[in-house]
Amino acid sequence: MKKLCGLVVFLLLLVPALFAQEHYTEGPIWRVTLIRVKPTHMDDYLTMLRQTTKSVYEENKKQGSIIDYKVFLKETKNSPEDWTSASPSSTRTTPP
């Protein structure tokens, strides 16, 4: 009797997992990378990014290995001095 109850419980837990895979469809994959740029160097970084990667991405689009590429920018809510990279031993100060 215990084996039968255990089997029923196992099947009740397994059945939803089997049906969950039924409606899966493949979609695009995004690669997201966080890059921190020192204040006043954003233009330099974007210029370098365009020079080094645009031709590579355009060639990949022609070959069909990627569909599209995007660059999103997000500025900090605080002043740029608050998030500049600091060495692990130093302490960060919070804005007034």
Side-chain angles (χ1 to χ4, degrees), residues 77-93:
K77 293 179 182 177
N78 300 325
S79 63
E81 292 82 24
D82 295 335
W83 64 274
T84 56
S85 68
S87 64
S89 60
S90 67
T91 58
R92 290 186 178 172
T93 59

Side-chain angles (χ1 to χ4, degrees), residues 9-93:
V9 170
F10 176 73
L11 289 176
L12 288 175
L13 294 174
L14 180 66
V15 169
L18 293 175
F19 287 112
Q21 299 297 320
E22 181 179 320
H23 302 290
Y24 175 77
T25 58
E26 291 187 17
I29 298 172
W30 285 42
R31 178 187 299 173
V32 178
T33 306
L34 171 67
I35 309 239
R36 292 186 176 175
V37 180
K38 291 184 178 181
T40 70
H41 290 281
M42 180 60 82
D43 290 336
D44 298 335
Y45 171 71
L46 292 175
T47 302
M48 184 273 309
L49 184 68
R50 173 170 274 195
Q51 291 172 350
T52 58
T53 59
K54 186 173 182 178
S55 61
V56 174
Y57 287 148
E58 289 297 327
E59 183 62 31
N60 285 335
K61 278 179 68 171
K62 287 179 189 175
Q63 293 177 1
S65 59
I66 63 172
I67 297 172
D68 198 12
Y69 62 94
K70 296 174 176 56
V71 174
F72 297 103
L73 302 175
K74 181 181 184 309
E75 295 182 20
T76 60
K77 293 179 182 177
N78 300 325
S79 63
E81 292 82 24
D82 295 335
W83 64 274
T84 56
S85 68
S87 64
S89 60
S90 67
T91 58
R92 290 186 178 172
T93 59

